[in-house]
Amino acid sequence: MPHARVTDPSTSHAAAQSVQSITETQQAILQLLTLHPMTDQELVRWYQNQLIAPRASESGIRSRRAELVEQGLVKDTGARKKLESGRSAVVWSRA
C-alpha cells in the first residue's frame, strides 16, 4: 500500500490514500468472494484448491482478506456460520 512521508504535503497524503494496490493473492481472494460469501475457513479451503492462485499460507490468506476489508473491497455480511470447532465465524463477501 503506498504511503506518504510525514514531511510530505497534504496532497501527497491524499494521493497515497487514494491508491489501492491489489496483489495477485488479493485478486484471487476477491474472485473467490465474488462466487459466494464465505468464512475464512472456507476461503482458505477454496483458495488452496485454485491452481492459478499464488501460493499462500492460511494466515497469509486471512491477512490479505483483512487488508481487503480495510480497503473497503470486502465486507462482513452480518451472517455467522458455525465451524467444525463449534465456534461462530464471520461470513465475508465482496463489497
Side-chain angles (χ1 to χ4, degrees), residues 13-78:
H13 288 273
Q17 287 179 338
S18 71
V19 175
Q20 291 185 348
S21 299
I22 304 295
T23 66
E24 286 183 58
T25 301
Q26 289 171 328
Q27 275 185 319
I29 290 168
L30 285 173
Q31 288 174 344
L32 288 171
L33 290 174
T34 298
L35 297 173
H36 61 82
M38 58 183 85
T39 65
D40 279 342
Q41 189 175 65
E42 293 167 325
L43 180 61
V44 166
R45 201 172 303 134
W46 276 78
Y47 186 97
Q48 292 179 336
N49 286 325
Q50 298 298 307
L51 298 176
I52 59 170
R55 293 183 130 216
S57 66
E58 289 184 28
S59 65
I61 294 166
R62 287 189 301 273
S63 294
R64 300 303 75 79
R65 190 264 314 138
E67 292 165 356
L68 292 167
V69 170
E70 287 178 19
Q71 292 178 25
L73 299 173
V74 169
K75 66 178 182 175
D76 178 342
T77 64

